[in-house]
Amino acid sequence: MLCAMDTIDCIKRVRKSALTLSLMSDSQRNSLLEKIKKALDENRFELKSANEKDINSAREKGISDAVLHRLVFDDQKINSCLDSLSSVIKLECPTGKKLAVRELDEGLILEKVSYPLGVIGMVFEARPDAMVQIISLAIKSGNGIILKGGSEAANTNKALRSVIHSALVDDDYILLLESHSDVDQMLKMEGDIDLIIPRGSNKFVKYCMDNTNIPVMGHADGICSIYVSDKADLDLAINVIVDSKIQYPAACNAVETLLINESIAPSFLPVLRDALVSNGVKIHGDEEVCKYIDVIRATDGEYDMEYLALELNIKIVKTLEEAINHIAMHSSHHTDCIISTDREEQLTFFNCVDSADVFANCSTRFADGFRFGLGAEVGISTGKLHARGPVGLEGLTTYKYQLTGTGQVVKDYTGANAKHFTHRELM
Amino acid sequence: MLCAMDTIDCIKRVRKSALTLSLMSDSQRNSLLEKIKKALDENRFELKSANEKDINSAREKGISDAVLHRLVFDDQKINSCLDSLSSVIKLECPTGKKLAVRELDEGLILEKVSYPLGVIGMVFEARPDAMVQIISLAIKSGNGIILKGGSEAANTNKALRSVIHSALVDDDYILLLESHSDVDQMLKMEGDIDLIIPRGSNKFVKYCMDNTNIPVMGHADGICSIYVSDKADLDLAINVIVDSKIQYPAACNAVETLLINESIAPSFLPVLRDALVSNGVKIHGDEEVCKYIDVIRATDGEYDMEYLALELNIKIVKTLEEAINHIAMHSSHHTDCIISTDREEQLTFFNCVDSADVFANCSTRFADGFRFGLGAEVGISTGKLHARGPVGLEGLTTYKYQLTGTGQVVKDYTGANAKHFTHRELM
């Protein structure tokens, strides 16, 4: 539904309708996804016309190429939405899964079963294809979904919502909000919404956390580092660093800081510099780095910056430990990588770096739900609770403990002649 | 350590020292627990003397018997602490577990591995044995722990801390706070603490949530209900209800509201009333109930009350659906139970009641980490994220994604001749 009327009312209808969705079988939910697929395919013209309006007004406002590129919803993007729907349909159903079955005593069976969270509130950037992906993950996991997309995509999002509604009809479990005041209202409804996922600036994530009692899944900055050990394969290091920086510099999993072991600095830095500069990368270096290569002098504050552009920092460190300490001080706990052929060093790095993704000898750009084999993602969590790193369907579920007895009472399990629990795992 | 000096300093030392603990093997952590066990056993006199001070001043203040009972730390309580330590030692190590191993492509292996959360801040009631249990779970899971116990137990807690310190020596990963202002300071240190677990009143849990950016694991009220269906075994129902109310009325998993199907009300209510009244239970009933038995007339507000005493509400409902709706309005999402011999009804109840624990035909008092076979618990979570219901060692862990490659870059997996991911599960 489109929230033209009273927001509170609409959100309460999502809560109610989400229960119906949660009770559906996997094949019922998949048939909803099939209907959405068909409707998108058959209403390309309507979707593209709405998108054209957004594109034109974005151009008039002089919006950057990067944003325009995300905003486009053409046949290619529609096709990739259809592919993505197909792959979500194929994923294993994340709810109703028995996570544990334990006999507590004869005739007293405990089952830990996965369930939908309930209702998710999601704020996302001006990317219409993201809206389709989020709706598909919500339906597959049996959750109601409240969406607020970037305002630049308002026309496309409304058209998408109307096409999806024409396919599903009875779909109050999907709600598209249109204004910031709707978002503020949503943040207040803690009894009706189970999780807020804000994608966007750190500032916006903090705004949500400060203004709601609903749990917020933090999707914050990506300040990612790569440490190059004195035991590194240096050709491999160059390849991985270049990919981590230039393959898509605006992504949160692009590298921002390189930490180079001092003993390889004299030989490695000139080669590294050439590889980066020839790819258009602007380099900031600490005092030591400036001794070997001609770069911009880095200031301390720059180690806390997410450039999101062809720009990075290089710092010399004496040891692996110094690299780990630097990362502890400056990392956003997203993705950090070590380049080293020594397995001991890799494991020390894995154990001591407190980030969602810890990599050895590969590009930081692999930090992604699809590449990790999760099918798709609603975002990347930099928090440690509930879900960490790329968040797929599993992150949209919770569990219940279902205990079925035959009249057992606790009194019999206490005192002098207490019965004993068997605690026998049945799966 | 005891926080006699600067709180900020002490908490930062916990953070640093927790890393050392996280790097220990299971047998190293178990040997710490063995040392604690030995020290408690050998220092009974010191512990009991400190406890006597607390008991005396509690008596002077006229504190209730229920609180006094929890406050006592005598030989029996010490013995049960030793037993509890032994059982925690026996539990499987919760960290370093491979939760998934997946080949993303040849030579590019993703491992999802469980890790300690880092540092936990725990506020708990005046129960010295709880302090021992919490410390043992923290050490076993490799987490630093900051504790603030009820002030009535201040002397016993300090003595416990000092006995444990004499056994462990280098144990900055355990910090005992002594004042409310220390707790306020703790709530501000979001970079150094990963999770706050407040046990106590709903009001205190809300105070924590409103005054920190650290995730809070809600351990709120227990407003538990039992629905008795027209398809119930009524003898079983009486047994289960009596146990759920009287076995330990001050516990959060004791029942507060009974929902009775109207068709059994005339015959069942008089028997139920006798069973409850003969056990000293005070009954509040709705208008319908008052037609059949002589009870206090219930007001609507009482359905939102946690009596924690020999007192409960009875309400007549027409259908299972009405019972489910009542629970949705008034439950604290802790534990709710159905008494019915019909498996379909049980499953509808399990699917539609949004509580951590959903039971059929057994006492609500089974909602407990030890009884569930989790070994022990830090509390019962009424939230849906991260951990739900009784929270044991698993709830004190998070995970990291460890990706080990041989130089792979994302560029090769995009564009026209893109390599494909194998996404092969290796466990």
Side-chain angles (χ1 to χ4, degrees):
Chain A
M1 103 193 99
L2 259 174
C3 196
M5 316 167 311
D6 179 42
T7 317
I8 298 182
D9 237 53
C10 290
I11 290 178
K12 288 199 172 292
R13 279 162 68 187
V14 175
R15 167 60 92 193
K16 218 177 149 187
S17 181
L19 179 62
T20 315
L21 188 64
S22 81
L23 297 174
M24 284 184 196
S25 67
D26 191 43
S27 66
Q28 285 173 309
R29 292 184 202 150
N30 283 342
S31 99
L32 298 177
L33 297 177
E34 292 285 2
K35 282 182 189 164
I36 292 177
K37 224 179 109 178
K38 188 156 171 277
L40 294 184
D41 195 22
E42 285 170 357
N43 291 278
R44 286 167 185 261
F45 180 75
E46 193 183 334
L47 296 169
K48 288 186 288 185
S49 311
N51 188 245
E52 216 147 289
K53 279 191 220 162
D54 286 331
I55 297 285
N56 288 339
S57 67
R59 281 221 177 89
E60 275 166 30
K61 285 180 197 143
I63 270 168
S64 75
D65 277 359
V67 176
L68 265 182
H69 181 75
R70 292 183 197 176
L71 185 54
V72 168
F73 200 60
D74 55 12
D75 276 306
Q76 199 192 331
K77 291 266 182 87
I78 293 174
N79 289 341
S80 91
C81 281
L82 305 185
D83 286 349
S84 157
L85 278 160
S86 301
S87 69
V88 170
I89 289 168
K90 274 185 218 140
L91 292 173
E92 187 194 4
C93 180
T95 63
K97 271 208 311 220
K98 289 190 182 162
L99 308 172
V101 183
R102 186 177 301 137
E103 182 196 77
L104 304 191
D105 195 5
E106 209 190 311
L108 186 62
I109 308 296
L110 183 70
E111 295 175 309
K112 186 177 176 183
V113 180
S114 69
Y115 272 89
L117 277 173
V119 175
I120 318 281
M122 179 105 195
V123 183
F124 60 103
E125 65 277 27
R127 254 186 62 203
D129 50 327
M131 178 161 150
V132 177
Q133 197 179 34
I134 294 161
I135 288 177
S136 69
L137 290 172
I139 290 179
K140 181 80 180 184
S141 59
N143 285 292
I145 182 85
I146 302 169
L147 301 141
K148 169 70 177 69
S151 53
E152 299 87 351
N155 288 299
T156 319
N157 290 346
K158 270 169 82 166
L160 267 170
R161 183 66 196 95
S162 128
V163 165
I164 290 173
H165 180 62
S166 70
L168 302 184
V169 187
D170 217 6
D171 62 352
D172 281 353
Y173 45 81
I174 306 173
L175 172 65
L176 180 64
L177 301 179
E178 300 196 76
S179 73
H180 286 289
S181 65
D182 285 345
V183 172
D184 284 333
Q185 180 58 53
M186 169 174 88
L187 294 177
K188 285 182 202 142
M189 295 181 68
E190 57 189 274
D192 296 292
I193 300 168
D194 299 289
L195 177 65
I196 300 284
I197 308 180
R199 307 213 296 205
S201 67
N202 241 346
K203 203 177 135 199
F204 179 64
V205 174
K206 179 138 178 33
Y207 175 83
C208 290
M209 287 181 171
D210 288 346
N211 289 284
T212 189
N213 286 320
I214 306 168
V216 174
M217 192 180 284
H219 182 80
D221 280 356
I223 302 180
C224 306
S225 298
I226 297 177
Y227 167 62
V228 185
S229 155
D230 51 327
K231 292 163 189 155
D233 172 334
L234 297 182
D235 289 335
L236 182 154
I238 298 279
N239 257 333
V240 165
I241 289 169
V242 168
D243 189 78
S244 298
K245 184 73 243 182
I246 75 156
Q247 207 270 330
Y248 188 16
C252 56
N253 56 15
V255 71
E256 309 293 356
T257 295
L258 306 178
L259 303 164
I260 311 292
N261 187 286
E262 64 172 358
S263 67
I264 57 165
S267 59
F268 184 58
L269 283 178
V271 190
L272 175 63
R273 180 187 173 282
D274 288 352
L276 289 170
V277 169
S278 69
N279 278 292
V281 179
K282 208 191 276 182
I283 305 173
H284 303 245
D286 73 353
E287 204 182 332
E288 282 297 299
V289 171
C290 291
K291 287 185 192 166
Y292 301 107
I293 52 175
D294 183 27
V295 295
I296 308 163
R297 180 76 173 80
T299 59
D300 266 2
E302 281 167 0
Y303 298 125
D304 299 313
M305 273 194 52
E306 188 180 17
Y307 289 116
L308 296 170
L310 289 175
E311 202 160 349
L312 57 61
N313 309 311
I314 305 183
K315 185 181 158 73
I316 306 279
V317 293
K318 289 194 171 58
T319 57
L320 170 60
E321 198 191 343
E322 192 186 337
I324 289 169
N325 287 337
H326 175 97
I327 292 171
M329 292 259 291
H330 301 284
S331 161
S332 65
H333 309 292
H334 186 300
T335 300
D336 295 287
C337 177
I338 180 173
I339 311 286
S340 170
T341 54
D342 183 306
R343 187 62 183 163
E344 278 306 309
E345 278 202 339
Q346 294 173 11
L347 291 178
T348 303
F349 189 87
F350 287 176
N351 287 329
C352 297
V353 170
D354 194 19
S355 296
D357 307 315
V358 281
F359 289 5
N361 298 332
C362 58
S363 169
T364 56
R365 293 271 303 123
F366 282 106
D368 168 272
F370 169 70
R371 292 176 198 135
F372 272 15
L374 309 180
E377 68 179 32
V378 285
I380 292 188
S381 167
T382 51
K384 288 196 214 175
L385 289 226
H386 190 66
R388 199 176 196 194
V391 180
L393 289 169
E394 199 184 310
L396 300 182
T397 67
T398 180
Y399 54 83
K400 289 183 201 174
Y401 282 109
Q402 304 182 169
L403 181 63
T404 305
T406 45
Q408 287 83 350
V409 293
V410 165
K411 188 186 65 180
D412 297 340
Y413 296 84
T414 52
N417 294 310
K419 292 177 75 174
H420 286 284
F421 290 103
T422 56
H423 288 159
R424 196 159 58 93
E425 303 300 329
L426 300 182
M427 74 167 259
Chain B
M1 102 196 96
L2 262 174
C3 196
M5 317 166 311
D6 180 43
T7 317
I8 297 182
D9 236 51
C10 290
I11 291 178
K12 289 202 172 287
R13 278 162 66 187
V14 176
R15 168 58 94 193
K16 219 177 150 187
S17 181
L19 179 62
T20 314
L21 188 64
S22 82
L23 296 175
M24 284 184 197
S25 67
D26 191 42
S27 65
Q28 285 173 308
R29 292 183 202 150
N30 283 342
S31 99
L32 299 178
L33 298 176
E34 294 286 4
K35 283 183 189 165
I36 293 177
K37 226 180 106 180
K38 189 158 170 274
L40 295 184
D41 195 22
E42 287 171 355
N43 292 278
R44 285 166 187 261
F45 179 75
E46 192 183 335
L47 296 170
K48 288 186 287 184
S49 312
N51 187 243
E52 217 147 286
K53 280 191 220 161
D54 287 330
I55 296 285
N56 289 339
S57 67
R59 280 220 178 90
E60 275 166 32
K61 284 181 197 143
I63 271 167
S64 76
D65 278 358
V67 175
L68 267 182
H69 181 75
R70 291 183 197 175
L71 187 54
V72 168
F73 200 61
D74 55 10
D75 276 307
Q76 200 193 327
K77 291 267 183 86
I78 293 173
N79 290 341
S80 90
C81 280
L82 304 186
D83 286 349
S84 157
L85 278 161
S86 300
S87 69
V88 170
I89 289 169
K90 275 185 217 138
L91 291 173
E92 187 194 5
C93 180
T95 62
K97 270 206 317 216
K98 289 192 180 162
L99 307 172
V101 183
R102 187 175 300 136
E103 181 196 80
L104 304 190
D105 195 5
E106 210 190 312
L108 186 63
I109 307 297
L110 183 70
E111 295 175 310
K112 188 178 177 183
V113 179
S114 68
Y115 272 90
L117 277 173
V119 175
I120 319 282
M122 179 105 195
V123 184
F124 61 103
E125 65 278 28
R127 254 186 63 203
D129 49 326
M131 180 161 148
V132 178
Q133 198 177 34
I134 293 162
I135 288 177
S136 69
L137 290 171
I139 290 179
K140 181 78 179 185
S141 59
N143 285 292
I145 182 83
I146 301 168
L147 301 140
K148 169 68 178 70
S151 52
E152 299 88 350
N155 288 300
T156 319
N157 290 347
K158 268 168 85 167
L160 269 169
R161 183 64 196 97
S162 129
V163 165
I164 290 173
H165 180 62
S166 70
L168 302 184
V169 188
D170 216 7
D171 63 352
D172 281 352
Y173 44 81
I174 307 174
L175 173 66
L176 179 65
L177 300 179
E178 299 196 77
S179 73
H180 286 291
S181 65
D182 285 345
V183 173
D184 284 334
Q185 180 59 53
M186 170 174 88
L187 294 177
K188 285 182 201 142
M189 295 180 66
E190 58 190 274
D192 295 293
I193 300 168
D194 298 290
L195 176 65
I196 299 285
I197 308 180
R199 305 212 297 207
S201 68
N202 239 348
K203 203 176 134 200
F204 178 64
V205 174
K206 178 136 177 37
Y207 174 82
C208 289
M209 286 180 172
D210 287 347
N211 288 283
T212 188
N213 286 320
I214 305 168
V216 175
M217 192 180 285
H219 183 78
D221 278 355
I223 301 179
C224 306
S225 299
I226 297 179
Y227 167 63
V228 185
S229 156
D230 51 328
K231 293 165 189 153
D233 172 333
L234 297 182
D235 289 336
L236 182 154
I238 298 280
N239 258 333
V240 165
I241 289 169
V242 169
D243 189 78
S244 298
K245 184 72 246 182
I246 74 154
Q247 206 269 328
Y248 187 18
C252 57
N253 56 15
V255 71
E256 309 294 354
T257 295
L258 306 178
L259 302 164
I260 312 290
N261 188 286
E262 63 173 359
S263 66
I264 58 166
S267 59
F268 184 59
L269 283 178
V271 190
L272 175 63
R273 182 188 171 282
D274 289 351
L276 289 171
V277 169
S278 68
N279 278 292
V281 178
K282 207 190 278 180
I283 305 174
H284 303 246
D286 73 353
E287 205 182 332
E288 282 296 301
V289 171
C290 292
K291 287 184 190 162
Y292 302 106
I293 52 175
D294 182 26
V295 295
I296 308 162
R297 179 76 173 79
T299 58
D300 267 2
E302 282 167 359
Y303 298 125
D304 299 314
M305 273 193 52
E306 188 181 17
Y307 289 115
L308 296 170
L310 288 176
E311 202 161 347
L312 56 61
N313 310 310
I314 304 184
K315 185 182 158 75
I316 306 277
V317 293
K318 289 194 171 62
T319 58
L320 171 59
E321 197 190 345
E322 192 186 336
I324 289 168
N325 287 339
H326 175 96
I327 292 171
M329 292 258 292
H330 300 283
S331 161
S332 65
H333 311 292
H334 187 299
T335 300
D336 296 288
C337 177
I338 180 171
I339 311 286
S340 171
T341 54
D342 185 306
R343 188 63 183 163
E344 277 307 306
E345 278 202 338
Q346 294 173 10
L347 291 178
T348 302
F349 189 87
F350 286 176
N351 286 329
C352 297
V353 170
D354 194 19
S355 296
D357 306 315
V358 283
F359 289 4
N361 298 331
C362 59
S363 170
T364 55
R365 293 270 302 123
F366 282 107
D368 168 272
F370 169 71
R371 292 175 197 137
F372 273 14
L374 308 181
E377 67 179 33
V378 285
I380 292 188
S381 166
T382 51
K384 287 196 215 173
L385 290 224
H386 190 65
R388 200 176 193 194
V391 180
L393 288 169
E394 198 183 310
L396 300 183
T397 67
T398 181
Y399 55 82
K400 289 183 200 174
Y401 282 111
Q402 302 181 170
L403 181 62
T404 305
T406 45
Q408 286 84 351
V409 293
V410 165
K411 186 187 67 181
D412 295 340
Y413 296 84
T414 53
N417 294 309
K419 290 177 75 172
H420 286 284
F421 290 102
T422 55
H423 288 158
R424 197 158 58 93
E425 302 299 329
L426 300 183
M427 76 167 257

